[in-house]
Amino acid sequence: MPERAQPKPQPRHGAENAQEPPSCQATGGGGAEARGPGRHQAGQRLGLPDPQLCASPLQHGQGPSHGRGNQRHHRRAGGRAEPLRARLPAGSCPQPAPRRQVKGPDMSTPEEAGSRLSPVLQQRLEKLDRLRELGVEPWPVGFARDTRVAEMLAAFDELKESGRGFTLAGRLTALRRMGKATFAELMDGGEKVQLYIQRDGVGADTYDVFKLFDIGDIIGVEGKAFTTRSGEMSVEVRAIQLLSKNLHPLPASKEKDGQVFDEFSDKDQRYRQRYVDLLVNPSTRTVFEQRSRIVSAIRRHLEGQGYLEVETPVLQPIYGGAAARPFVTHHNALDMKLYLRIANELYLKRLVVGGFDRIFEFARDFRNEGMDRFHNPEFTQMECYAAYQDYQDMMVLVENLISGLAVELHGSTRVMLKGHEVELAAPWRRATMMDLLREATGADLLDMDEAALRALAKRLHVEVEANDGWARLVDTLFGELVEPKLIQPTFVCDYPREMSPLARRHRQDPRLVERFEAVVAGKELCNSFTELNDPIDQRQRFLDQQALIQRGDDEAHPLDEDFLRALETGMPPTAGLGLGIDRLVMLLTGAESIRDVIFFPTMRPQA
RNA sequence: GCUCCAAUAGCUCAAUCGGUAGAGCAGCUGACUCUUAAUCAGUUGGUUCGGGGUUCAAGUCCCUGUUGGAGCACCA
């Protein structure tokens, strides 16, 4: 379904903020005056005065400031590099807390009015008041963290031996309070460490403040390494400071010996509030870390082979490079229809014409089609092109690339994928599509006409569409009978010509094109061909596609005259490859749904 | 687009044949200075996804809408 044109460019919040003077000027630590549009969202939603008004980074180190809030801020800002202890409220800090005169629906925004705050949120808001009464700013600027939790754990023995102090920052993920002492857990970058906080260690006043901390708060601590009686590497905390107050409690899942209790498992909420999912489900974080490593490794591999990373248009006047329905949008100034790309292939080939012999792009592509656990409307594909190569060369690239990724991620080319043990080490099996079909059906499909294929499909109980052409029938039979059974990596070679309007005619059989798909664990991994660089042939293929459009195929390629002109200028013999990143990540991480490998998958807006 | 399933406290889940909405965790109050799903005592918290219907009575049955999941279709 075509999207309607955007009504008018709306100013974005970020841009607005950037132009605004620091919001500190608006404050005297006061209560509930109306604020500008850039105010803190939580405060806005909760109908609260903005606690950040006193904390503009631009104030830092700048001339005299005004107002109570600024005084407090200044005292803290000066302490950025000082020992933490010096910055903690010493009880001698008669900072009048800004008080919330009224709370609840009365001060809410119109949308919020009438909806009640949950009791838990109510309590968190009251804690904010109490913190401020103790002179604690719930959202202070900066923190002089000098050690990451992972570093600290790695260097634990040395740190313990030397007794050297360090500072850590992160999120509180557990609290085990025992009166005048507390064990807590601090999470930083997916790594957790236990904290031990004693009243006598941090001081009674600080300990009172600490009692107002919750799971989910972000804190900074200063301390030193020590080992508990039960042998757990821990931090004996000497000073502790609130860095960001949590208002929405994190899901109360707990974990012991790898077993998770009350896991945050509602998929809807996990996708919509991915930040929560990432905080409480370590495996979610791991998947995305692996995704990043995969992308990074591909980039390194290609660059190592002399490929240049390029960028090409997402907004295209004519879409192409794949068989799919596009998203449509409108450009106001040019008053023209534009399509979000379904592929970048035609642009990358223009660059090959332009003399870039080896190029690649990680392209976000958009296809206006159904969604399921293998399809998201926007997805990422890596396409690369190499002049003076053919699809045989691309097979070598792929098998080396993927086996390298397996080693990078799993330390071995032999990996478990979808319950099968798969050997990804090069070389992979090479087989033609027709040979594989002959193995499966006993028939030579290349010699069969459309009617014979239909009869075959019927005999083998494969459902086909009434208006499917010869190539489509072959493809359907292959997808049903062969592909799911290809567990070990296989290059399926030489596809029917009419299925691949951008691929070069096979050098030995004009009914075929020089194309392969790599299939692993029953799933297609990538698609590659010797590119069609004969502009006369390419024009005829486009015309054939127009015939398909006439026949009702709304995914056939539109004719791209500008692309033809590029080919007419002369493209070297070239090989190209498209690799679906999301599915690759699914395969290598064992994710069941594409939504598990995309941070923010497309979702219907909530009612 | 179609079929089936699901939605109950902040989170994970109960609730018998249609008969007073519960538990654990989180939270709150108190005790506890080596705990680790901390423990112990007390306690708050509900538009049972929205709307309609049947019924003396609906979380439960019926209709409808919303969102999600699984599958089908399409596709990568």
Side-chain angles (χ1 to χ4, degrees):
Chain A
M1 188 204 316
E3 286 184 332
R4 297 308 306 162
Q6 308 286 342
K8 251 183 191 167
Q10 297 290 327
R12 299 191 43 182
H13 279 303
E16 216 170 336
N17 280 340
Q19 288 164 2
E20 268 184 8
S23 49
C24 259
Q25 63 168 22
T27 188
E33 312 99 20
R35 304 295 188 208
R39 45 194 288 223
H40 188 255
Q41 205 199 354
Q44 189 170 31
R45 293 193 58 224
L46 304 172
L48 300 180
D50 187 343
Q52 286 200 319
L53 289 176
C54 306
S56 164
L58 295 184
Q59 275 284 321
H60 188 94
Q62 276 185 358
S65 54
H66 314 281
R68 291 173 291 168
N70 287 337
Q71 277 171 22
R72 184 172 68 210
H73 164 78
H74 232 68
R75 178 173 58 78
R76 292 169 172 278
R80 189 182 183 96
E82 292 170 16
L84 184 75
R85 172 162 277 174
R87 294 199 273 159
L88 293 170
S92 61
C93 182
Q95 181 57 52
R99 284 184 186 273
R100 189 166 61 249
Q101 307 292 344
V102 189
K103 60 189 160 204
D106 290 347
M107 290 186 55
S108 298
T109 53
E111 315 87 87
E112 291 280 332
S115 73
R116 290 181 313 166
L117 301 177
S118 76
V120 183
L121 182 53
Q122 200 76 258
Q123 281 165 347
R124 292 281 159 108
L125 295 177
E126 282 157 17
K127 276 191 183 177
L128 277 186
D129 280 350
R130 283 152 68 193
L131 283 165
R132 289 213 168 90
E133 278 162 14
L134 292 168
V136 174
E137 162 60 45
W139 292 281
V141 290
F143 177 73
R145 165 177 81 177
D146 61 24
T147 309
R148 303 297 305 261
V149 166
E151 297 169 349
M152 179 262 161
L153 290 173
F156 188 83
D157 290 341
E158 185 269 317
L159 283 167
K160 190 180 163 190
E161 188 119 340
S162 69
R164 188 157 53 84
F166 49 82
T167 58
L168 301 172
R171 197 175 289 266
L172 269 179
T173 56
L175 282 169
R176 293 182 285 275
R177 299 187 187 273
M178 297 174 303
K180 298 177 190 65
T182 299
F183 286 93
E185 270 163 27
L186 183 76
M187 182 171 73
D188 159 29
E191 295 288 329
K192 288 184 183 177
V193 67
Q194 176 169 266
L195 307 177
Y196 184 46
I197 301 123
Q198 294 179 98
R199 192 187 63 172
D200 295 345
V202 298
D205 292 336
T206 297
Y207 200 77
D208 283 342
V209 171
F210 169 63
K211 284 180 183 168
L212 295 169
F213 289 11
D214 292 292
I215 291 170
D217 287 357
I218 296 169
I219 62 165
V221 298
E222 183 196 336
K224 56 185 186 179
F226 98 113
T227 312
T228 62
R229 253 173 230 161
S230 56
E232 176 157 351
M233 291 186 288
S234 306
V235 178
E236 186 174 11
V237 173
R238 286 195 300 242
I240 186 165
Q241 183 188 346
L242 181 63
L243 298 179
S244 184
K245 188 73 190 136
N246 167 281
L247 297 182
H248 294 299
L250 296 179
S253 52
K254 296 193 174 187
E255 176 260 324
K256 184 188 187 179
D257 302 332
Q259 196 183 353
V260 182
F261 301 85
D262 301 333
E263 185 179 21
F264 180 56
S265 56
D266 185 294
K267 292 209 168 177
D268 190 26
Q269 290 197 71
R270 287 180 50 211
Y271 297 143
R272 289 180 198 276
Q273 296 187 58
R274 183 67 90 181
Y275 43 90
V276 175
D277 186 27
L278 286 164
L279 287 172
V280 303
N281 290 326
S283 63
T284 302
R285 184 187 175 93
T286 304
V287 165
F288 287 102
E289 284 172 345
Q290 289 184 323
R291 179 175 180 131
S292 181
R293 284 167 62 193
I294 289 167
V295 169
S296 174
I298 295 173
R299 182 173 277 127
R300 275 200 311 276
H301 186 89
L302 289 170
E303 286 178 345
Q305 310 259 318
Y307 285 81
L308 185 75
E309 184 165 9
V310 298
E311 293 175 276
T312 61
V314 171
L315 294 174
Q316 304 180 348
I318 298 175
Y319 62 93
R325 281 148 60 198
F327 286 93
V328 188
T329 188
H330 181 263
H331 189 275
N332 289 343
L334 294 175
D335 188 23
M336 67 181 289
K337 194 190 249 192
L338 283 171
Y339 301 94
L340 274 65
R341 70 177 166 204
I342 59 172
N344 56 354
E345 171 160 352
L346 303 188
Y347 282 92
L348 291 178
K349 287 187 195 170
R350 284 173 171 96
L351 294 181
V352 176
V353 171
F356 284 108
D357 282 359
R358 290 194 176 192
I359 50 174
F360 72 101
E361 178 176 17
F362 284 96
R364 188 74 59 88
D365 293 338
F366 306 84
R367 298 189 185 174
N368 206 341
E369 289 166 346
M371 299 168 58
D372 59 32
R373 67 195 184 96
F374 295 106
H375 298 84
N376 196 62
E378 55 181 299
F379 65 103
T380 303
Q381 189 164 215
M382 193 288 296
E383 290 198 34
C384 67
Y385 290 81
Y388 313 113
Q389 293 203 342
D390 64 17
Y391 72 146
Q392 303 280 352
D393 299 306
M394 277 297 166
M395 292 181 206
V396 175
L397 178 89
V398 168
E399 60 195 4
N400 287 333
L401 177 64
I402 302 297
S403 59
L405 286 177
V407 172
E408 160 95 21
L409 245 61
H410 302 296
S412 167
T413 57
R414 188 174 282 273
V415 293
M416 290 299 293
L417 302 175
K418 314 255 175 214
H420 303 283
E421 192 175 67
V422 176
E423 175 55 82
L424 292 171
W428 294 359
R429 181 186 179 196
R430 286 145 170 82
T432 70
M433 185 184 217
M434 293 305 159
D435 284 346
L436 290 164
L437 275 166
R438 192 182 308 111
E439 279 176 26
T441 66
D444 205 330
L445 275 65
L446 206 50
D447 297 333
M448 296 167 72
D449 62 10
E450 199 173 310
L453 285 181
R454 284 187 186 284
L456 181 69
K458 186 160 189 183
R459 182 159 61 81
L460 298 171
H461 309 292
V462 176
E463 278 188 45
V464 294
E465 293 290 321
N467 61 345
D468 282 350
W470 184 85
R472 184 69 130 208
L473 291 169
V474 170
D475 192 42
T476 302
L477 286 165
F478 182 81
E480 288 293 320
L481 301 173
V482 181
E483 193 169 87
K485 294 180 183 148
L486 295 177
I487 302 303
Q488 297 304 319
T490 305
F491 290 117
V492 180
C493 308
D494 302 345
Y495 282 64
R497 176 175 169 277
E498 45 183 303
M499 281 170 56
S500 314
L502 299 166
R504 189 191 190 282
R505 207 171 47 240
H506 196 280
R507 62 195 80 177
Q508 274 146 15
D509 189 334
R511 295 170 296 181
L512 303 176
V513 290
E514 296 196 356
R515 169 181 171 184
F516 74 81
E517 290 189 0
V519 178
V520 177
K523 279 282 170 190
E524 173 199 330
L525 195 63
C526 62
N527 183 22
S528 168
F529 30 87
T530 306
E531 301 296 335
L532 175 54
N533 66 341
D534 171 349
I536 312 297
D537 191 358
Q538 182 67 76
R539 181 176 295 277
Q540 187 54 51
R541 305 281 193 96
F542 273 141
L543 292 174
D544 294 344
Q545 290 289 308
Q546 303 322 293
L548 288 179
I549 291 176
Q550 300 301 318
R551 203 169 152 174
D553 185 346
D554 54 1
E555 293 180 353
H557 285 65
L559 188 145
D560 189 333
E561 194 62 55
D562 182 75
F563 173 66
L564 286 172
R565 185 177 176 93
L567 288 193
E568 286 158 8
T569 304
M571 184 170 85
T574 298
L577 168 73
L579 177 61
I581 298 299
D582 311 277
R583 295 215 182 147
L584 175 65
V585 175
M586 284 174 69
L587 184 74
L588 292 177
T589 62
E592 299 268 304
S593 167
I594 197 168
R595 290 186 155 183
D596 293 325
V597 301
I598 294 175
F599 273 129
F600 302 103
T602 304
M603 303 285 282
R604 277 205 168 84
Q606 254 176 337

